[in-house]
Amino acid sequence: MVANGATPVPDYPASLCVLGRLCVVVGAGEVGRRKVRGLLDAGARVRVVDPVAARLHDLEGAHCLPRPYRPADVAGAFLVFAATSDRDLNCRIAADARKGGALVQRADDPAGSDFSLPALLRQGDLTVAVFSAGGSPALCSLLRDEIDALLGPHWGVFLEIAAALRRKRLTGSESSSYNRNVLDQLAAEGLAGLIAAGDRDAIERLLSRVLSTSVSLDQLGVSLSKGSQ
């Protein structure tokens, strides 16, 4: 991003909860439709505006307005995506949205946007995001696919185990509910590989030895079905 129109500054990456919040997409072309689907998957209330009704027919779950944009369309929005092919219109949408306190992304102007979206890789609750500050979404997608080849679904199960250990306060002392050293040891001794192999007995032996207490996957509420080969 660019501060004061000239000085580059680093972004502040964040994962937003949009559950139940109004997000508006103006323009239902290929780019806009991707935004709509991602927002719906995240539980947002989505309003889509496009004068071409045919572009809106299969966006189930979104509130579709088959007409030209109006300033009132962005009232009360949390996020606004200006994704039309008209640069002047995108500029007006952004100005209207910011007046109401919304964060804006312009498909045609990454530097003039309030945020950018990464290429995402999800393995269960584990999410890897690749950003380029809007410089090259295609490169982000390429890198995401490269990471996907290395990061199998077993890492999502590893996260489930780590989260369960943290909740049950099995990874730290009285002064800390979470202990990085425990996870380092589990990783170094091959927990990810045991999950990928579906070796429940070996996983439980490793957990019990490292944690110095009997631990079972059932006790942790973790299933191996998503991570085993």
Side-chain angles (χ1 to χ4, degrees), residues 97-115:
R98 287 177 177 134
K99 287 178 183 176
L103 298 175
V104 180
Q105 186 194 48
R106 288 182 55 175
D108 62 339
D109 186 9
S113 300
D114 297 318
F115 62 95

Side-chain angles (χ1 to χ4, degrees), residues 164-214:
L165 294 176
R166 185 181 186 188
R167 286 194 305 270
K168 295 178 179 297
R169 300 187 175 226
L170 294 177
T171 59
S173 64
E174 293 180 359
S175 61
S176 172
S177 62
Y178 183 78
N179 189 327
R180 168 66 186 270
N181 292 334
V182 169
L183 290 188
D184 285 346
Q185 187 174 352
L186 290 173
E189 298 199 25
L191 178 59
L194 296 176
I195 295 170
D199 194 338
R200 170 184 287 267
D201 290 342
I203 291 168
E204 292 179 345
R205 286 196 300 270
L206 175 59
L207 290 171
S208 298
R209 177 168 54 79
V210 170
L211 296 166
S212 300
T213 186
S214 179

